[in-house]
Amino acid sequence: MLYKEINIGQFIKERVDELEITMERMCNFLKKDEEFIEKVFTSKSIDTDLLLRWSKLLEYDFFRLYSSHLILYSPPSAINKNNNPKSEKIPYFRKNIYTQEIKEFIIKRIQSGEMTQSEVIKEYSIPKSTLHRWLQKNDTN
């Protein structure tokens, strides 16, 4: 399960390897030493300011991994969604913004028989019409 357990250091290391970024460039950009960089690669979590800098350096939105986790694994709200007050001081984001990876993950679960369409709709609060659209697009590809 790609988003269930997030080891951010491992994802950062894989992206560094893909882009073949040199240690010198990472140290200069992050203003850290090699020992610190190596420690990040083995870290399960890191500070958000540091993650933002890694995202810029590696041109990859690492925060999306966490957003995907929330979409797939957060429990349904016990309070009626229409009664949830929206903060005026912090930005409000709709939960149902689905990345291509999430769409593929859900379609794969249906096609493998792991979940039915009804179970997906109930578990992930995906509108029925949205799920059907994904499945139709997948069938044409």
Side-chain angles (χ1 to χ4, degrees):
M1 302 276 209
L2 180 61
Y3 302 109
K4 188 141 189 167
E5 292 293 323
I6 299 170
N7 184 328
I8 198 64
Q10 183 180 2
F11 282 108
I12 290 171
K13 175 72 169 122
E14 287 175 17
R15 183 67 176 165
V16 165
D17 291 345
E18 280 177 11
L19 297 178
E20 299 176 348
I21 305 288
T22 64
M23 182 62 77
E24 181 182 9
R25 181 166 176 222
M26 289 183 283
C27 291
N28 289 338
F29 187 87
L30 298 170
K31 297 177 178 68
K32 303 288 183 184
D33 60 16
E34 287 186 30
E35 184 180 333
F36 180 87
I37 302 289
E38 291 295 335
K39 192 184 271 188
V40 167
F41 293 157
T42 60
S43 298
K44 183 172 171 37
S45 63
I46 62 174
D47 180 74
T48 54
D49 288 336
L50 182 59
L51 186 58
L52 181 61
R53 293 191 56 78
W54 277 109
S55 294
K56 290 176 181 179
L57 174 64
L58 301 177
E59 299 174 356
Y60 184 88
D61 183 0
F62 289 102
F63 293 96
R64 212 169 260 236
L65 297 169
Y66 295 101
S67 298
S68 297
H69 174 90
L70 288 174
I71 290 169
L72 291 171
Y73 300 106
S74 66
S77 176
I79 302 170
N80 185 338
K81 291 179 184 178
N82 296 331
N83 293 337
N84 281 346
K86 292 181 177 69
S87 172
E88 295 179 14
K89 297 185 189 227
I90 62 171
Y92 175 76
F93 301 102
R94 289 179 21 182
K95 184 177 171 186
N96 61 349
I97 298 174
Y98 306 103
T99 65
Q100 187 60 37
E101 292 86 2
I102 289 175
K103 292 176 189 177
E104 290 169 2
F105 172 81
I106 289 172
I107 290 170
K108 185 177 167 186
R109 292 192 86 178
I110 292 170
Q111 289 176 335
S112 70
E114 192 175 336
M115 292 181 86
T116 66
Q117 290 181 28
S118 300
E119 290 171 333
V120 167
I121 291 166
K122 185 177 179 184
E123 175 84 18
Y124 299 123
S125 301
I126 297 172
K128 186 176 181 179
S129 58
T130 301
L131 181 60
H132 287 289
R133 195 172 334 113
W134 295 351
L135 293 169
Q136 285 176 340
K137 285 183 180 178
N138 189 60
D139 287 343
T140 59
N141 291 340

